[in-house]
Amino acid sequence: MSERKNSQSGHQSLMASTSSFCFLAALLALVSWQAIASDPSPLQDFCVADMHSPVRVNGFACLNPMDVNVDHFFKAAMLDTPRNTQDSKAGSNVTLINVMQLPSLNTLGISIARIDYAPLGENPPHTHPRATEILTVLEGTLYVGFVTSNQNNMNKLFSKVLNKGDVFVFPEGLIHFQFNPNPHQPAVAIAALSSQNPGAITIANAVFGSKPPISDDVLAKAFQVEKGTIDWLQAQFWENNHY
Ligand SMILES: *[C@@H]1O[C@H](CO)[C@@H](O)[C@H](O)[C@H]1NC(C)=O
């Protein structure tokens, strides 16, 4: 009897320690999940992406470091070249150097882009699911902004007019845009992003240009308009201005 009691209380304390372990594990998982919402830190000096490896990991498998040479870290000048913006309905053209263009960016959590804006052109509202962006204006003027998440029950707009040499930050995941308000002059910006593969979700394209389309019942209610307005929007051509 007393043995049984002992084993019962042993069982109970095991249960208690198991549940506190579960709680701790859940807490740790939550903390580490938040910590890996951005690119994880490298565990070696470099891990140049082996694009031909059949191994599937988060990112890319590493080339043998003995086979790595200086050219893996180099991309011949291409960001000095103005991009064509005439064919773009939005009037912008983003040239991104991410891990696909420069495999040594693998595991390093960084990438760079040149953005060309036609007169009155814009980089339409979009978000980078995996990166904060820091942008500087090389030529011209940009009206830029981002909108917060629904914290404090509102989506607050932070916006600013930037001139040549000015710097602006777009926090990770938030919807942001850049617009060239000058009807006569183009604008150029360089942006650095805190991911080897920032990703870009252009809001209008994702919502109205998805394939297959989102039901117009869903979108009419979400945007508080008639279904015909949604059908018209869905019939437009939603080009990708990110390369
Ligand atoms: C962006 O620029 C490249 C190179 O000039 C061009 O091939 C591409 O068509 C342009 N995209 C748009 C949307 O204008």
Side-chain angles (χ1 to χ4, degrees):
M1 188 69 179
S2 80
E3 232 182 69
R4 185 155 171 231
K5 222 178 180 171
N6 268 349
S7 94
Q8 250 183 9
S9 72
H11 185 63
Q12 269 166 10
S13 76
L14 183 69
M15 291 260 288
S17 69
T18 306
S19 72
S20 63
F21 171 77
C22 285
F23 175 73
L24 196 70
L27 198 71
L28 280 174
L30 193 70
V31 168
S32 67
W33 173 76
Q34 284 175 335
I36 59 163
S38 300
D39 289 19
S41 319
L43 301 174
Q44 60 277 301
D45 284 358
F46 51 75
C47 168
V48 176
D50 180 354
M51 297 298 187
H52 304 295
S53 169
V55 178
R56 302 270 168 227
V57 290
N58 186 21
F60 297 96
C62 311
L63 277 180
N64 182 340
M66 300 305 287
D67 297 333
V68 170
N69 64 56
V70 66
D71 286 326
H72 285 112
F73 301 90
F74 173 76
K75 181 104 189 145
M78 53 179 292
L79 290 190
D80 63 332
T81 316
R83 293 288 156 144
N84 175 11
T85 53
Q86 279 101 58
D87 306 333
S88 158
K89 271 207 213 172
S92 67
N93 198 326
V94 182
T95 311
L96 176 66
I97 310 289
N98 68 6
V99 69
M100 303 308 289
Q101 286 80 36
L102 187 55
S104 53
L105 292 180
N106 191 37
T107 76
L108 297 182
I110 199 164
S111 54
I112 192 169
R114 173 192 171 109
I115 310 147
D116 287 275
Y117 308 84
L120 300 180
E122 71 172 13
N123 188 7
H126 64 282
T127 113
H128 303 291
R130 291 176 289 277
T132 289
E133 171 174 347
I134 184 164
L135 175 144
T136 188
V137 178
L138 295 190
E139 295 295 340
T141 304
L142 289 177
Y143 168 67
V144 306
F146 68 83
V147 177
T148 66
S149 66
N150 54 357
Q151 63 187 10
N152 305 323
N153 206 23
M154 69 180 286
N155 298 107
K156 186 172 180 180
L157 171 67
F158 290 80
S159 67
K160 188 99 183 152
V161 173
L162 307 182
N163 294 304
K164 188 171 173 170
D166 291 348
V167 172
F168 199 81
V169 176
F170 305 101
E172 179 166 329
L174 300 189
I175 293 179
H176 60 282
F177 61 84
Q178 299 108 29
F179 172 73
N180 175 8
N182 191 312
H184 307 294
Q185 298 294 323
V188 182
I190 294 281
L193 297 115
S194 64
S195 172
Q196 66 178 39
N197 181 22
I201 302 169
T202 303
I203 307 308
N205 298 33
V207 173
F208 300 115
S210 72
K211 294 180 195 71
I214 300 175
S215 152
D216 56 3
D217 288 315
V218 170
L219 294 182
K221 195 156 274 187
F223 286 85
Q224 303 179 31
V225 293
E226 300 294 319
K227 272 207 267 184
T229 307
I230 298 296
D231 297 341
W232 183 86
L233 283 165
Q234 288 183 322
Q236 304 307 304
F237 173 63
W238 297 100
E239 79 186 355
N240 178 19
N241 72 333
H242 286 72
Y243 293 92

Coordinates of all heavy atoms in Angstrom, one line a residue, residues 123-133 146-147 170-178 193 197-204 206 242:
N123 N 7.4 52.0 -56.9 CA 7.5 50.6 -56.5 C 6.3 50.4 -55.6 O 6.2 50.8 -54.5 CB 8.8 50.4 -55.7 CG 9.2 49.0 -55.5 OD1 8.5 48.1 -55.9 ND2 10.2 48.7 -54.7
P124 N 5.3 49.7 -56.1 CA 4.0 49.6 -55.5 C 4.0 48.9 -54.1 O 5.0 48.2 -53.8 CB 3.1 48.9 -56.4 CG 4.0 48.1 -57.4 CD 5.3 48.9 -57.4
P125 N 3.0 49.2 -53.2 CA 3.0 48.6 -51.9 C 3.3 47.1 -51.9 O 2.6 46.3 -52.6 CB 1.6 48.9 -51.4 CG 1.2 50.2 -52.1 CD 1.8 50.0 -53.5
H126 N 4.3 46.7 -51.1 CA 4.7 45.3 -51.1 C 5.4 45.1 -49.7 O 5.6 46.0 -49.0 CB 5.7 45.0 -52.2 CG 7.0 45.8 -52.1 ND1 7.1 47.1 -52.5 CD2 8.3 45.5 -51.7 CE1 8.4 47.5 -52.3 NE2 9.1 46.5 -51.8
T127 N 5.6 43.8 -49.4 CA 6.4 43.5 -48.2 C 7.4 42.4 -48.5 O 7.3 41.7 -49.4 CB 5.5 43.0 -47.0 OG1 5.7 41.6 -46.8 CG2 4.0 43.1 -47.3
H128 N 8.5 42.4 -47.7 CA 9.5 41.4 -47.7 C 9.3 40.5 -46.5 O 9.5 41.0 -45.4 CB 10.9 42.0 -47.7 CG 11.1 43.0 -48.9 ND1 11.1 42.6 -50.2 CD2 11.2 44.3 -48.9 CE1 11.3 43.6 -51.0 NE2 11.3 44.7 -50.2
P129 N 8.8 39.3 -46.7 CA 8.5 38.5 -45.5 C 9.7 38.1 -44.6 O 9.5 37.8 -43.5 CB 7.8 37.2 -46.1 CG 8.2 37.2 -47.6 CD 8.5 38.6 -48.0
R130 N 10.9 38.2 -45.2 CA 12.1 37.8 -44.4 C 13.1 38.9 -44.2 O 14.2 38.6 -43.8 CB 12.7 36.6 -45.1 CG 11.9 35.3 -45.1 CD 12.5 34.2 -45.9 NE 12.4 34.4 -47.3 CZ 11.4 34.1 -48.1 NH1 10.3 33.6 -47.6 NH2 11.4 34.4 -49.4
A131 N 12.8 40.1 -44.5 CA 13.9 41.1 -44.4 C 13.5 42.5 -44.0 O 12.4 43.0 -44.5 CB 14.7 41.2 -45.7
T132 N 14.3 43.2 -43.2 CA 14.2 44.6 -43.0 C 15.0 45.2 -44.2 O 15.9 44.6 -44.8 CB 14.9 45.0 -41.7 OG1 14.1 44.6 -40.6 CG2 15.2 46.5 -41.6
E133 N 14.6 46.4 -44.7 CA 15.3 47.0 -45.8 C 15.8 48.4 -45.4 O 15.1 49.1 -44.7 CB 14.2 47.2 -46.9 CG 14.7 48.0 -48.1 CD 13.7 47.9 -49.3 OE1 12.8 47.1 -49.3 OE2 13.8 48.8 -50.2
F146 N 5.8 53.3 -44.9 CA 5.4 52.0 -44.5 C 4.2 52.1 -43.6 O 4.0 53.2 -43.0 CB 6.6 51.2 -43.9 CG 7.1 51.7 -42.6 CD1 6.4 51.3 -41.4 CD2 8.2 52.5 -42.5 CE1 6.9 51.7 -40.2 CE2 8.7 52.9 -41.3 CZ 8.0 52.6 -40.1
V147 N 3.5 51.0 -43.4 CA 2.3 51.0 -42.6 C 2.5 49.9 -41.5 O 3.0 48.8 -41.8 CB 1.0 50.7 -43.4 CG1 -0.2 50.6 -42.5 CG2 0.8 51.8 -44.5
F170 N 12.7 50.3 -43.8 CA 11.4 49.7 -43.8 C 11.5 48.4 -42.9 O 12.2 47.5 -43.3 CB 11.1 49.3 -45.2 CG 11.1 50.5 -46.2 CD1 12.2 50.7 -47.0 CD2 10.1 51.4 -46.2 CE1 12.2 51.8 -47.9 CE2 10.1 52.5 -47.1 CZ 11.2 52.7 -47.9
P171 N 10.9 48.4 -41.8 CA 11.0 47.2 -40.9 C 10.5 45.9 -41.5 O 9.5 46.0 -42.3 CB 10.1 47.7 -39.6 CG 10.1 49.1 -39.7 CD 10.1 49.5 -41.2
E172 N 11.1 44.9 -41.1 CA 10.8 43.5 -41.6 C 9.3 43.2 -41.7 O 8.6 43.4 -40.7 CB 11.5 42.5 -40.8 CG 11.2 41.1 -41.2 CD 12.2 40.1 -40.6 OE1 13.3 40.4 -40.3 OE2 11.8 38.9 -40.4
G173 N 8.8 42.8 -42.8 CA 7.4 42.3 -42.9 C 6.4 43.4 -43.2 O 5.3 43.1 -43.5
L174 N 6.7 44.7 -43.0 CA 5.7 45.7 -43.1 C 5.5 46.2 -44.5 O 6.4 46.2 -45.3 CB 6.1 46.9 -42.2 CG 6.2 46.6 -40.7 CD1 6.3 47.9 -39.9 CD2 5.0 45.8 -40.2
I175 N 4.3 46.5 -44.8 CA 3.9 47.0 -46.2 C 4.5 48.3 -46.4 O 4.4 49.2 -45.6 CB 2.4 47.0 -46.4 CG1 1.8 45.6 -46.3 CG2 2.0 47.7 -47.7 CD1 0.3 45.6 -46.5
H176 N 5.3 48.5 -47.6 CA 5.9 49.8 -47.9 C 5.9 50.1 -49.3 O 5.6 49.2 -50.1 CB 7.3 49.8 -47.3 CG 8.2 48.7 -47.8 ND1 8.2 47.4 -47.4 CD2 9.2 48.7 -48.8 CE1 9.1 46.7 -48.1 NE2 9.7 47.5 -48.9
F177 N 6.3 51.3 -49.7 CA 6.2 51.7 -51.1 C 7.3 52.8 -51.3 O 7.7 53.5 -50.3 CB 4.8 52.2 -51.5 CG 4.4 53.4 -50.7 CD1 4.8 54.7 -51.0 CD2 3.7 53.2 -49.5 CE1 4.4 55.8 -50.2 CE2 3.3 54.3 -48.7 CZ 3.7 55.6 -49.1
Q178 N 7.6 53.1 -52.6 CA 8.4 54.3 -52.9 C 7.8 54.8 -54.2 O 7.4 54.1 -55.1 CB 9.9 53.9 -53.2 CG 10.6 53.3 -52.1 CD 10.9 51.8 -52.3 OE1 11.0 51.3 -53.4 NE2 11.0 51.1 -51.2
L193 N 19.1 44.5 -47.9 CA 18.0 43.7 -47.2 C 18.6 42.7 -46.4 O 19.6 42.0 -46.8 CB 17.0 43.1 -48.3 CG 16.3 44.2 -49.1 CD1 16.7 44.1 -50.5 CD2 14.8 44.0 -49.0
N197 N 17.5 35.9 -49.1 CA 16.3 35.7 -50.0 C 15.1 36.4 -49.4 O 14.3 35.8 -48.8 CB 16.1 34.2 -50.2 CG 14.9 33.9 -51.1 OD1 14.5 34.7 -51.9 ND2 14.3 32.7 -51.0
P198 N 15.1 37.8 -49.5 CA 14.1 38.6 -48.8 C 12.6 38.2 -49.1 O 11.7 38.2 -48.3 CB 14.3 40.0 -49.2 CG 15.7 40.0 -49.8 CD 15.9 38.6 -50.3
G199 N 12.4 37.8 -50.4 CA 11.0 37.6 -50.9 C 10.3 38.9 -51.1 O 10.7 39.9 -50.4
A200 N 9.4 39.0 -52.0 CA 8.6 40.2 -52.2 C 7.2 39.8 -52.5 O 6.9 39.0 -53.4 CB 9.2 41.0 -53.4
I201 N 6.3 40.3 -51.7 CA 4.8 40.1 -51.9 C 4.3 41.5 -52.3 O 4.2 42.4 -51.4 CB 4.1 39.6 -50.6 CG1 4.8 38.3 -50.2 CG2 2.6 39.4 -50.9 CD1 4.3 37.8 -48.8
T202 N 4.0 41.7 -53.6 CA 3.3 42.9 -54.0 C 1.8 42.7 -53.7 O 1.2 41.8 -54.2 CB 3.6 43.2 -55.5 OG1 5.0 43.2 -55.7 CG2 3.0 44.5 -55.9
I203 N 1.3 43.7 -52.9 CA 0.0 43.4 -52.3 C -1.1 43.2 -53.4 O -1.8 42.2 -53.4 CB -0.4 44.6 -51.4 CG1 0.7 44.8 -50.3 CG2 -1.8 44.3 -50.7 CD1 1.1 43.6 -49.5
A204 N -1.2 44.2 -54.4 CA -2.2 44.1 -55.4 C -2.1 42.8 -56.2 O -3.1 42.2 -56.5 CB -2.2 45.3 -56.3
A206 N -0.7 40.0 -55.3 CA -1.0 38.8 -54.5 C -2.5 38.6 -54.3 O -3.1 37.5 -54.4 CB -0.3 38.8 -53.2
H242 N 9.8 42.9 -59.7 CA 11.0 42.5 -58.9 C 11.7 41.4 -59.7 O 11.1 40.4 -60.1 CB 10.6 41.9 -57.6 CG 10.2 43.0 -56.6 ND1 9.1 43.7 -56.7 CD2 10.9 43.5 -55.5 CE1 9.0 44.6 -55.7 NE2 10.1 44.5 -55.0

